[in-house]
Amino acid sequence: MVNIPVNAEIQAVPIHAGSAQGEAAGGESTMARTPGGPAEFDKIGPRLKAMLRAARYHGVELDPNEFRAASAVPAAADLSQWAQDAGMWSRAVRIRWSHLLRFQDAGPVVLLFNDGGAALLTGASAERNVVFLKSADAPDDGEAVAIDELRLSQVWTGEALLLRTTRSYVAADAPFTLRWLAELVRLESHALRDITIASFTLSVLTILPPLIVMTVVNKVLQFNSISTLVLLSAVIAVVFAYETLLGHARRLIINVVGARLDTKLQLHVFSRLLRLPLDYFERHPAGETMYHLAQVYRIREFLTGKLLSTFLDMITLCVLVPVMFYINAALAWIVLACAVVIMLIILAFLRPLRRRYQRVVDAETWKSAALGETVVGIKTVKALGLEPQRKALWDERVAESGKARLAFGQLASWPQTLVTPIERVMVLGTMLIGAYLAMNDRTGYMVGGLFAFMMIAQRVAQPLVGLARLVEDYEEVGAAIGEAASVLNRPLESSSNSTGLRPRLVGEVVFSDLTFSYIATKTPALDRVSFHIPAGSMFGIVGRSGSGKSTIARLLQGINRDYSGFLKLDGVDLKEINLRHLRQGLGVVLQDNFLFRGSIRDNIIAGRPGLTLSDAMRAAHLAGAQEFIERMPNGYDTYIEEGSPNLSGGQKQRLAIARALIHDPTILILDEATSALDPESEAVVSANLMRIASGRTMIIVSHRLSSLTECDNILVMDQGKVLDVAPHATLLERCALYRQLWSQQNRHLDGRHGRPVAVPPRLV
Ligand SMILES: Nc1ncnc2c1ncn2[C@@H]1O[C@H](COP(=O)(O)OP(=O)(O)OP(=O)(O)O)[C@@H](O)[C@H]1O
């Protein structure tokens, strides 16, 4: 690693050969991949450190756990990708000394060193011919060291990483609006420029055939000029060949632009969807969300289809309209007048059409919600024989949407009906008037001109009508943008995944005077709740149904953050902690856990980087799942379908526990995780609880008091308030509600219905 002495003027830079290599290889790659354990600043290698500091200067907190290295020593490209993934603008560049001298007041630039180290370039002085470097380890207020070209060249690879916050609207946090879409299109300006040039050229070429026809009629036919005919044939052949090639190239570019826009839109939509708060998904049916998001495809089709083709048609118009006036001004005015009338008709229908279309959107939303709900709840539908009711609901929703579509279609056909005769007048009317004018023309040139005009008028009519229709289509797309925005523009879970503190988590939890109410509820779910969970302890939460147990677990996961009072994790306010960092330190097992389609191994690893089969086996062993997995035909490669129908409830639950344990979380929350298990499965999980708990804070929410007796402390909740916190034995003595719950659950073991005699299961 290159050590840059603090408070030193120009001096030799000592190099500890190999040390950084080792640190980078050992420190970065293992830390970056260590399951769960948040990488600590001190333990990561110099290149990551330098990047963290440079990003911090721009207000962005990079996460070392998200760094993906292709090689042991982090390469410039990987580092740059890391910053880009966090939403920053970053480039890995190879630059010369003379360029370094230009970084006088820019933000820090990361310079990579030959030995795997790195430093921050914080400024430069062209007069003194030095740059100012700071070691990645130097304190924030430490002075930078002036280094000259010779000394830097001994250690520097010539590579630098430039970073800044992105200024583009096409950023992950930007709202989904027309402006955002326009910016998305603008980013394709090179391709659009090429398309425009090609279209303009093609438009110019379209003038030639009518002019040639005019010449053939006026000159060749009238004067029998064979040589002119031959020349015109040659021109036509060249024009056609050129037109064909250019048309092909234009289609190719349009295709590429379309695919790129499509990809960007889809990536953006999905990344925003994932960052919506859980609250949103709890309040909106899955079908509704999916329908709204499906509207994004209509927007994309509009952008790359109608909008683009109308834009190209406009180029054609700009070229053809002057030619039309050149050939015959009177006829040209007739065409323009017709176009204006068409435009007025379509504009008159816009408002009523918008209203009817809104009804279609509403009906479709309800229809999709019913479909989604039925698919998600199909087990309940079948079990309770609710098919007729669901069918009746579906029939009703389909009828409503059919009615709305019919009403819209009927109204939408009116402008079409009114526009068609005017379109005909535009073409045929001009022909008749043109023929009349030609008959009275004494020059003899009018006939050829009329042919040419007819050919051009046909080409002009289409774009003019298309332009009018674009306004109508825009209404629909405006509605589609509104629908997609109604999902995508909700407040996100955190302003950005790249902000917030990333403290080292130990597992101490403190609730102090915390009050929380769910939206649109009157009574608080938690009312001035205060308690303390020491790091590494086992903490139980009990209480009647609705007393606020799961709400405590939700707040700990940062699902809801709008509470009053304090919730601190290792002394840091939870609201200040980076959400992704927080959840990486947590493991959560719920009563009903969703397993994804894929192998058992994939489900346990759940796509976390750097984890292998042996990590999955270790977690499965800890969760008591190893034995049944090994008995399965394909062991860890056994395929699980969506919703895991081929696993029992107990097996599913143990897999979920293994999945929560694989990244070695600092805090493990079991929210009614064993409540629905059969006694045998529960016994297996309980038997492993102590082993699972070792080295971490365990929070167990449970109705079954017998599974909490080994806890260091048990919190008794009632109607959102803390009733008591104490170990099992103490609670039995002093907490009436706890005693009552205990005796209710163990009545069968105690004939006297009084003092508990049940022996809780031993946890081993
Ligand atoms: N998403 C939500 N939106 C609105 N209110 C909610 C929501 N979740 C819970 N509540 C309300 O908050 C209160 C506490 O609920 P919570 O789920 O925390 O209780 P609990 O003790 O875990 O209950 P149970 O043991 O039945 O799971 C209840 O009155 C419940 O109706």
Side-chain angles (χ1 to χ4, degrees), residues 282-283 518 521 525 544-551 672 703:
E282 285 174 349
R283 280 166 209 284
Y518 285 100
T521 55
R544 293 199 186 98
S545 183
S547 56
K549 304 184 293 291
S550 299
T551 306
E672 303 284 9
H703 279 116

Side-chain angles (χ1 to χ4, degrees), residues 278-279 282-283 516-521 523-526 541-554 560 591 671-672 701-703 717 719-720:
L278 195 61
D279 265 355
E282 285 174 349
R283 280 166 209 284
F516 169 75
S517 303
Y518 285 100
I519 299 169
T521 55
T523 46
L526 294 180
I541 305 179
V542 293
R544 293 199 186 98
S545 183
S547 56
K549 304 184 293 291
S550 299
T551 306
I552 291 178
R554 279 172 73 111
N560 301 88
Q591 185 167 2
D671 189 353
E672 303 284 9
V701 177
S702 182
H703 279 116
M717 294 291 298
Q719 293 184 8

Side-chain angles (χ1 to χ4, degrees), residues 538-545 549 591 670-686 689 700-711 714-715 728 738 741-746 748 760-761 763:
M538 204 158 142
F539 192 81
I541 305 179
V542 293
R544 293 199 186 98
S545 183
K549 304 184 293 291
Q591 185 167 2
L670 301 183
D671 189 353
E672 303 284 9
T674 56
S675 303
L677 292 187
D678 59 292
E680 197 187 330
S681 302
E682 195 193 4
V684 176
V685 174
S686 298
L689 269 189
I700 310 172
V701 177
S702 182
H703 279 116
R704 293 198 200 168
L705 304 195
S706 58
S707 57
L708 300 177
T709 50
E710 293 288 310
C711 288
I714 301 171
L715 169 73
H728 169 68
Y738 189 83
L741 291 172
W742 177 263
S743 59
Q744 266 171 8
Q745 289 178 18
N746 296 287
H748 60 291
L763 304 174

